Amino acid sequence: MADTFDLELVSPERLLLSRPVEMVTIPAAEGEMGVLPGHAPMIVALRGGVIRVREGGRETESLFVMGGFAEITPARVTVLADEATPVASLSRAMATQRVTEAEAALAGAPQTPEAQDQAQARLAAARAMADAAQAA
């Protein structure tokens, strides 16, 4: 089994990361998920949270994603993020504003299950961003 796999992180604006890594932890919709070389193939939905990259036996990078999808194969992980920001670049003020906007969107969302689910997911992602900004 190889010691590394290729990780690509793509946002709508650009390719943010493309290199071999030892491990990545992603915020899957079902919970945190660690991926190592040789992982079983799958596609997972992402929730708002932090992607942590390990290289050389240590965490080298952490990026906040607002959601998206990850395609996992034994030799590659491709993350298609709705929005991605290095955790070090997150500000508490920006995160607080995003929470306020998401709360207002939830309050004004149509009372359909789909609209409510989307608004609640957006609020959860904004709160995760606020938590990541506090920790940074």
Side-chain angles (χ1 to χ4, degrees):
M1 181 187 304
D3 293 350
T4 63
F5 61 92
D6 293 327
L7 172 63
E8 288 193 347
L9 175 60
V10 182
S11 74
E13 295 84 27
R14 63 192 167 107
L15 175 67
L16 294 164
L17 188 95
S18 180
R19 65 177 181 255
V21 300
E22 292 173 354
M23 180 180 176
V24 65
T25 304
I26 58 175
E30 298 82 21
E32 295 293 310
M33 179 178 175
V35 181
L36 293 165
H39 197 286
M42 61 180 58
I43 295 176
V44 296
L46 302 179
R47 61 179 165 72
V50 178
I51 292 179
R52 300 181 193 287
V53 179
R54 289 189 63 84
E55 299 170 283
R58 63 183 180 84
E59 185 175 304
T60 58
E61 200 152 355
S62 56
L63 300 120
F64 184 83
V65 294
M66 286 297 286
F69 292 90
E71 178 185 23
I72 301 166
T73 69
R76 173 183 300 275
V77 173
T78 302
V79 175
L80 305 172
D82 295 341
E83 178 184 331
T85 307
V87 169
S89 298
L90 293 177
S91 75
R92 292 179 183 161
M94 177 184 67
T96 300
Q97 178 182 350
R98 298 287 288 268
V99 169
T100 301
E101 291 168 358
E103 288 172 341
L106 177 60
Q111 295 299 312
T112 64
E114 281 182 14
Q116 288 292 307
D117 286 349
Q118 287 178 343
Q120 287 175 351
R122 180 176 171 198
L123 178 56
R127 286 181 176 156
M129 177 185 271
D131 291 344
Q134 290 283 89

